[in-house]
């Protein structure tokens, strides 16, 4: 009861001009609730982090002693004239940041110390998505820098995805920290471009290996695998649906195990997977189909 009173008092002190961060995105119950702010930024921690925040020349910098894939920070940045897409500034490039746009501000979720900046990305010119039902989702994710085309003017909407490729997409979409992957003998930790992505998702139990020591990075992603990966990712960020999920209409429901049943129900309710009489769990998924699924999951979890 005492902690409840302290929490209410702290939120009240923030004032009506500051919106409290969403409570459904935490990885575990908070041990504390702190915040710090600059002129145009407020940084929240639910884990008692010591936070350092600064802004200069359009760059918003955040450092904390507690920030990880299981203990993220929430960053509220008021635009005040800034336009474009929020990105994370790295040494040689810029990486995507998971955030939702509230009009006058953005709410970002970061899983590591970060320098954030609004930029204007190049407009995509994917000729093969012009008549695709997935065009909107691909365009939105491409603008954020989450997905890339095979070439500047060709996305590959009907091509398939490998398990390594989807690990990169999910980690970048949720702006997770990469984690070294050492358990799989078919991944060269120091040489492969996807080792850190695989490590991040396996450490959260979002992706699993083909066996204990084999990941199968070049294996083609199936519909069932895509559903399990994104469903587990929603669990990892403690996503809670707004409404009770109704049973989905697939005729082969009795063939699903409990986990696939649960995540299929959730993703169907979110509009991430299309209706079909038979769900076809072993069918290989296309880049366009996964773009839609990823977009819906990010949107519903407050990260797009």
């Amino acid at each position: 009861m005492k902690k409840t009173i302290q929490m209410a008092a702290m939120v009240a002190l923030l004032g009506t001009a500051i919106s409290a961060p969403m409570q459904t995105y935490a990885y575990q119950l908070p041990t504390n609730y702190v915040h710090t702010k600059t002129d145009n930024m407020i940084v929240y921690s639910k884990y008692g982090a010591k936070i350092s925040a600064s802004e200069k020349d359009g760059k918003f910098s955040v450092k904390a002693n507690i920030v990880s894939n299981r203990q993220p920070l929430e960053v509220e940045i008021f635009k005040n004239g800034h336009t474009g897409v929020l990105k994370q500034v790295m040494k040689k490039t810029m990486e995507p940041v998971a955030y939702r746009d509230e009009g006058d501000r953005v709410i970002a979720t970061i899983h590591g110390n970060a320098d954030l900046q609004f930029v204007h990305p190049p407009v995509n010119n994917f000729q093969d998505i012009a008549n695709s039902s997935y065009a909107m989702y691909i365009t939105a994710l491409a603008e954020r820098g989450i997905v890339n085309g095979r070439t500047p003017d060709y996305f590959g909407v009907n091509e398939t995805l490998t398990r390594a490729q989807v690990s990169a997409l999910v980690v970048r979409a949720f702006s997770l920290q990469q984690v070294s992957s050492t358990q799989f003998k078919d991944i060269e930790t120091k040489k492969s471009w996807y080792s850190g992505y695989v490590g991040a998702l396996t450490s959260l139990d979002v992706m699993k290996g083909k066996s204990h020591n084999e990941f199968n990075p070049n294996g083609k992603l199936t519909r069932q695998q895509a559903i399990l990966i994104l469903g587990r990712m929603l669990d990892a960020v403690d996503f809670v649906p707004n409404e009770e999920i109704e049973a989905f209409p697939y005729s082969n429901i009795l063939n699903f195990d409990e986990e696939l049943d649960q995540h299929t129900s959730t993703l169907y309710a979110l509009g991430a997977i299309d209706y079909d009489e038979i769900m076809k769990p072993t069918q290989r998924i296309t880049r366009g189909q996964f773009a839609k699924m990823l977009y819906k999951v990010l949107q519903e979890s407050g990260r797009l």
Side-chain angles (χ1 to χ4, degrees):
M1 182 68 182
K2 183 177 179 181
K3 289 185 177 180
T4 303
I5 295 173
Q6 291 174 337
M7 177 70 77
M10 185 173 292
V11 172
L13 288 172
L14 294 180
T16 57
I18 300 176
S19 62
M22 298 291 289
Q23 299 299 308
T24 57
Y25 306 142
Y27 285 88
Q28 56 186 268
L29 290 176
T31 58
N32 202 349
Y33 184 95
V34 300
H35 81 284
T36 191
K37 62 182 179 178
T38 62
D39 289 343
N40 296 296
M41 175 174 60
I42 309 169
V43 185
Y44 303 93
S45 169
K46 299 176 182 181
Y47 308 97
K50 294 180 180 179
I51 306 168
S52 172
S54 64
E55 58 177 284
K56 183 178 181 181
D57 298 329
K59 182 182 292 185
F60 300 87
S61 299
V62 180
K63 293 184 179 180
N65 67 327
I66 300 178
V67 55
S68 69
N69 287 338
R70 293 194 179 276
Q71 295 180 316
L73 301 179
E74 196 164 88
V75 183
E76 183 172 18
I77 299 177
F78 294 84
K79 292 181 180 178
N80 287 341
H82 292 292
T83 59
V85 175
L86 190 67
K87 290 285 189 79
Q88 183 172 348
V89 183
M90 311 299 285
K91 289 183 178 180
K92 297 182 179 180
T93 185
M94 288 193 170
E95 288 292 320
V97 179
Y99 73 91
R100 65 185 183 274
D101 195 323
E102 299 288 352
D104 65 331
R105 72 196 74 183
V106 298
I107 312 294
T109 303
I110 62 173
H111 298 83
N113 297 329
D115 292 325
L116 308 174
Q117 189 173 353
F118 288 97
V119 299
H120 292 277
V123 178
N124 78 73
N125 189 37
F126 302 137
Q127 301 298 312
D128 61 320
I129 70 171
N131 298 315
S132 172
S133 60
Y134 305 115
M136 182 191 78
Y137 310 113
I138 293 168
T139 300
L141 296 181
E143 182 182 50
R144 291 283 184 96
I146 295 169
V147 300
N148 297 307
R150 294 295 196 189
T151 68
D153 59 359
Y154 176 76
F155 180 73
V157 63
N158 295 316
E159 296 181 16
T160 56
L161 283 164
T162 67
R163 287 165 50 80
Q165 289 169 341
V166 80
S167 69
L169 286 174
V170 175
V171 168
R172 297 178 75 213
F174 281 83
S175 58
L176 301 174
Q177 291 188 62
Q178 295 188 44
V179 177
S180 179
S181 175
T182 59
Q183 74 184 85
F184 301 115
K185 64 181 182 181
D186 57 348
I187 296 180
E188 295 188 59
T189 303
K190 295 182 179 180
K191 294 182 179 180
S192 70
W193 61 267
Y194 48 80
S195 174
Y197 300 125
V198 171
L201 296 189
T202 54
S203 68
L204 293 173
D205 293 324
V206 170
M207 287 190 78
K208 302 180 184 298
K210 186 177 180 180
S211 66
H212 175 70
N213 58 7
E214 185 180 359
F215 183 75
N216 188 26
N218 296 317
K220 298 296 185 181
L221 192 75
T222 66
R223 186 182 302 273
Q224 173 175 317
Q225 290 170 339
I227 289 171
L228 290 174
I229 290 167
L230 293 178
R232 290 168 184 159
M233 194 67 232
L234 286 174
D235 284 347
V237 297
D238 289 344
F239 171 74
V240 179
N242 292 327
E243 300 176 359
E244 184 177 349
I245 296 175
E246 299 179 0
F248 50 91
Y250 303 112
S251 62
N252 55 337
I253 179 177
L254 296 179
N255 298 327
F256 298 177
D257 63 27
E258 184 178 352
E259 186 184 23
L260 180 59
D261 187 340
Q262 172 196 339
H263 294 317
T264 303
S265 296
T266 299
L267 295 184
Y268 180 79
L270 299 182
I273 50 179
D274 299 327
Y275 167 73
D276 199 345
E277 185 177 352
I278 298 176
M279 201 269 280
K280 302 175 184 175
T282 60
Q283 186 179 69
R284 291 177 178 178
I285 199 165
T286 68
R287 285 162 57 85
Q289 290 169 338
F290 191 77
K292 176 182 178 179
M293 296 176 71
L294 185 57
Y295 176 95
K296 289 289 187 179
V297 165
L298 289 171
Q299 184 181 56
E300 294 297 328
S301 61
R303 287 162 170 79
L304 190 64

